[in-house]
Amino acid sequence: MSVKNDEMRYAIHGHKDTTFFSTKSHLTVSTLLLPPYVMKEEVDGNVTYRGFINDIMELIADRLGLNYDFVPVKDKMFGTLLPNGTWTGAVGQVVSGTANMAAGPITVTSNRAQFVDFSQPFQFTGPVIVMRRPNENMPPFKDRLLHILKPFKTDVWLLSCLAYLITGSIIYIISYCNPYEWRRMSRDGEATIREGESFTCLNTFWFTISAVFLQGFTRSPRSAGGRIVVIAWWFFVIVFFSSYVGNLSNLLRVGPRPSAIETYAKVRSFSDLAVNEDIIVHVVRGGSTQANIMNSKIPEHQALANKISKNKESLVKTVTEGIQIVKDSVPGTRAMVVESAMAKYYTEQSGCVLYYVNDLLLTTQYGLVLPHNSTLLKPVNHALLTLSENGVLRGLEKKWFQGHCNKYMLEKSEDEKFEIPHFYALDLGSFSGALFILAIGLVLGGLVTLLEIVIFKYAESDEPAKAKPRPMQQRSVDRSSDPGNTQALLSQGTDSNQHRDMTSV
């Protein structure tokens, strides 16, 4: 395509350099149609190109006074050396002289540098792992509703409810039968009627359940047996409450969607990808990423290379094909190893269904491809350095690669965020100690209550009789033997009654 003179661009990015070219030269630039680097558009029969590479080429052409045309490679390959000594792809067109330059996300490698010259890098990158995001839909309402019951297993909940019913019943029986409780004291007049009703059937179960929620109480049992049962119940409540709160805290740390965390945690590096047999790994056939992995001396890459070579599905023709396979797959089953620059674009533009793991064990770079000893190399390098120093390359990268997705990249340093806290629902074996102590308290309280009943019956039941005043006994009078004395007594009694009457008046 032809590049127009743009004086405004010169003012922003520098003056036009005509040191090497007094007249405009026309270049054939081999490229690959790969978004966002080069994208083809056809409007009213006119073919135009746009993208990150196109913007860079326009700036370089303006500075050097060049015209250029993009020629997409037919085999859609970057460049691979064949056994017969020929090259494929964009690099092959430069080597054969078909093109004056190759521009695209072409990685600078030592093998390619033996046959062509590379410009200064315009983008730094490295192989990363692209995967599909796990499904993070909220669980059904029923699961969320029952979430608060998960700290305990079902048998623990059932036995706890049974323990509540048994404990409440025993406290009520003790309060009803024990002679030292409020009910008996109220009947004997030693307590008020309200105090005597402290442990009716309803009030007893209310007293028992209030302890579970750590609430206060107005009156507690008075008898020794009742207090033993209550102490055992309070101990059970303390263990129950602390166990529930502790397990619930761990459950909340896990969150409502632990499966999503498990998917993220499954692959955090190339070594994880190599050992995970459930994940099929894809790379572009004949690309620099495949070559770097296959020729790498890093143990993680060697293990990954063995995995790729064993699976025929691993090799794909283009990056777009591999990304689409990962996008259509079940989360956690497919992965694509691709350069981080392209991974950033696809994860940002894929509807936020992809993410990539940033485990940069290797650092690579993209450069423009020129024939050996090309007179364009030095001015092109100078132009690229100027664009880099002025921040233009950074601005273009932000323009074409930035999207609207959040958290599309996972750093290796964030491993602790994907460690799922251990959570175990409390089972009956772990909770049996509290139930055992409660059972002992219930039995002991019942036995003490029986003892108190016996003591009251044989030791304290006689005290009211001893304290009760005896009735006055009438004396028998023998009137026949002492008639005078009897008459005197009767007269004295009459005078005494008259005296009491006068006193009352």
Side-chain angles (χ1 to χ4, degrees), residues 1-2 33 39-49 70 72:
M1 60 179 289
S2 298
L33 298 179
M39 294 171 284
K40 182 178 180 181
E41 292 184 345
E42 186 172 353
V43 180
D44 298 332
N46 296 324
V47 177
T48 58
Y49 296 91
F70 276 137

Side-chain angles (χ1 to χ4, degrees), residues 179-196 219 222 456 460 463-464:
Y180 298 106
E181 283 294 344
W182 295 102
R183 180 176 176 274
R184 178 61 181 267
M185 293 183 63
S186 176
R187 191 180 65 180
D188 293 342
E190 297 179 6
T192 64
I193 297 177
R194 184 179 296 276
E195 291 174 333
R219 297 175 189 87
R222 292 189 71 257
F456 181 83
E460 298 187 10
E463 291 185 2

Side-chain angles (χ1 to χ4, degrees), residues 203-218:
N203 289 342
T204 300
F205 283 97
W206 178 253
F207 170 83
T208 308
I209 196 66
S210 65
V212 177
F213 296 99
L214 307 181
Q215 300 302 307
F217 55 88
T218 304

Side-chain angles (χ1 to χ4, degrees), residues 152 211-214 235-247 431:
F152 292 158
V212 177
F213 296 99
L214 307 181
F235 176 82
F236 173 84
V237 167
I238 291 174
V239 176
F240 178 88
F241 184 81
S242 57
S243 301
Y244 179 80
V245 172
N247 262 22
F431 198 67

Side-chain angles (χ1 to χ4, degrees), residues 26-91:
H26 188 85
L27 302 179
T28 299
V29 180
S30 177
T31 189
L32 293 92
L33 298 179
L34 185 66
Y37 292 95
V38 179
M39 294 171 284
K40 182 178 180 181
E41 292 184 345
E42 186 172 353
V43 180
D44 298 332
N46 296 324
V47 177
T48 58
Y49 296 91
R50 66 185 186 91
F52 181 59
I53 292 296
N54 182 69
D55 287 354
I56 293 177
M57 287 300 301
E58 282 190 1
L59 295 173
I60 293 175
D62 286 351
R63 293 184 62 85
L64 302 182
L66 302 174
N67 286 331
Y68 67 93
D69 289 327
F70 276 137
V71 179
V73 291
K74 295 181 180 180
D75 58 7
K76 300 181 180 179
M77 298 185 68
F78 297 98
T80 303
L81 181 61
L82 299 177
N84 59 9
T86 60
W87 280 82
T88 64
V91 175

